Amino acid sequence: MSLSIRNQLPGTITAITPGEAMATVKVRLTGGQDLTAAITREAVEDLGLAAGTPVNALVKATEISLATAPVEGLSIRNQLPGTVTGITTGGAMASVKIAVEGGALTAAITRDATTDLALSPGAPVVALVKATEVALTTP
């Protein structure tokens, strides 16, 4: 299956915490980072997810925020450290390529944000992703 979602990180489920309608799913990415996805219980059942299941974590570029350092006191569960490898800017928006341990991400942010954060190739960043914005697929 081909997808327009550029951010596809492979990993393995380490834990599932079910709730009434939603579940949190912990994924250990191949680069060693931990990622949390909040998906429906129905999706957990439909995909046959359990600890040890290999998955791909999918995140749209527009759902990734960037910071120049880890952020404390924040409800966002997923903070992936990386390094900027490239920036393509347009009139209003920019596409920022980031190398993370074991993979790569693309973040779509405003052009002004790239200036405010002084982003350039080689700059360290932290990709921030809400758990509700992570989708899971099975290979």
Side-chain angles (χ1 to χ4, degrees), residues 1 6 12 22 27-28 30 38 43 45 47-48 63 66 70 77 86 94 105 108 112 115 119 129:
M1 163 177 40
R6 294 291 132 229
T12 303
M22 300 287 290
V27 177
R28 172 71 42 92
T30 56
E45 294 166 9
L47 293 171
E63 300 304 332
L66 298 178
R77 298 293 84 195
L105 295 172
D112 288 345
T115 302
L119 297 182
V129 183

Side-chain angles (χ1 to χ4, degrees), residues 16-63:
I16 299 173
T17 305
E20 277 190 49
M22 300 287 290
T24 56
V25 180
K26 303 282 188 184
V27 177
R28 172 71 42 92
L29 300 176
T30 56
Q33 314 92 319
D34 291 316
L35 190 74
T36 300
I39 63 175
T40 64
R41 282 186 68 174
E42 184 178 356
V44 170
E45 294 166 9
D46 289 350
L47 293 171
L49 302 181
T53 303
V55 293
N56 288 314
L58 310 177
V59 182
K60 290 176 60 176
T62 53
E63 300 304 332

Side-chain angles (χ1 to χ4, degrees), residues 112-124:
D112 288 345
T114 63
T115 302
D116 292 348
L117 296 173
L119 297 182
S120 62

Side-chain angles (χ1 to χ4, degrees), residues 67-87:
T68 55
V71 182
E72 299 211 15
L74 191 64
S75 67
I76 296 175
R77 298 293 84 195
N78 302 307
Q79 297 193 31
L80 302 174
T83 303
V84 174
T85 59
I87 301 173

